[in-house]
Amino acid sequence: MLKVYVINTRKIANKTAYSRAFSCLNSERQKKAEAIKKESTRLQSVAAGYLLYYALKELGINLKDLSFIKGTKDKPYIKEHPEIFFNLSHSNDYAVLAISDKEVGIDIEKLRPVRSPLVVKALGQEAADQLLSLPDTEQIMEFFRQWTMKESYGKYTGEGLISVLFENVGFSENGLNFYTSTAIEGYYLTICTPLQTEPEYEYITEI
């Protein structure tokens, strides 16, 4: 099983939809969301939490009946369902969730111009020189391809962003596969998983 749920955070921007989504969250995420002052960040948090509620509901599991524990690297797991793995990510107007029966990491990033210092810091000098030699549009796509691969790998392991350059999309490294998508206009998404199965996508359009 490898499924990705996607929601545009603007779907919960109005008061009614926000209240519905918020009511579906467990108390921990409700408290976390209430503590966020910036509206756009708060919407991301609530949207991500709603995706987890929605995905578990499809599996016949009530989010509010669950408790969460952290692994050795602080990655969260569901105490009552150790066979279920999940990972969340958000960027600007989108929140995404990957849920699987194997360990998984996911990252989504809004495509935008990048400056040379960031490219060097993220990819290393040699890779940055190669990327910056490309036309501007190709630079953006290639940077976020590599960036989301790194992020999804770091989230897969629980270690966060790491200094590793992956040369090809979809290759196996230590038994891992990377699946990418640009189906969300203006965004780049990558999933890291040991599964050799293309992810299934579900777009949430109503709360």
Side-chain angles (χ1 to χ4, degrees), residues 1-6 51-52 54-59 84-88 96-102 104-106 179 189 191 193 195 197-204:
M1 173 185 70
L2 178 58
K3 192 164 183 178
V4 176
Y5 295 84
V6 181
L51 288 179
L52 183 57
Y54 184 94
L56 292 173
K57 184 180 178 182
E58 283 200 334
L59 296 174
I84 296 176
F85 300 86
F86 71 94
N87 198 229
L88 295 157
V96 294
L97 162 75
I99 193 162
S100 178
D101 55 1
K102 300 291 184 182
V104 66
I106 188 170
Y179 299 102
L189 181 152
I191 301 148
T193 174
L195 293 174
T197 305
E198 289 283 346
E200 176 187 354
Y201 286 83
E202 182 170 346
Y203 294 81
I204 309 303

Side-chain angles (χ1 to χ4, degrees), residues 56-72:
L56 292 173
K57 184 180 178 182
E58 283 200 334
L59 296 174
I61 300 170
N62 186 344
L63 173 64
K64 293 188 177 182
D65 292 338
L66 305 177
S67 52
F68 292 83
I69 57 175
K70 291 186 177 181
T72 55

Side-chain angles (χ1 to χ4, degrees), residues 116 119-134 142 146 150 165 167:
S116 298
V119 177
V120 174
K121 183 178 180 180
L123 306 182
Q125 188 64 59
E126 183 177 352
D129 289 343
Q130 294 175 4
L131 186 144
L132 293 170
S133 69
L134 299 173
E142 178 61 16
Q146 295 187 33
K150 286 187 173 188
L165 174 61
E167 295 293 346

Side-chain angles (χ1 to χ4, degrees), residues 31-81:
K31 291 177 182 178
K32 178 182 177 181
E34 287 177 330
I36 300 173
K37 295 182 179 180
K38 187 176 180 181
E39 182 182 7
S40 60
T41 306
R42 188 168 61 252
L43 287 176
Q44 289 175 344
S45 179
V46 172
Y50 179 78
L51 288 179
L52 183 57
Y53 158 82
Y54 184 94
L56 292 173
K57 184 180 178 182
E58 283 200 334
L59 296 174
I61 300 170
N62 186 344
L63 173 64
K64 293 188 177 182
D65 292 338
L66 305 177
S67 52
F68 292 83
I69 57 175
K70 291 186 177 181
T72 55
K73 297 174 182 176
D74 286 338
K75 187 173 181 179
Y77 296 90
I78 303 171
K79 182 178 180 180
E80 294 82 359
H81 292 276

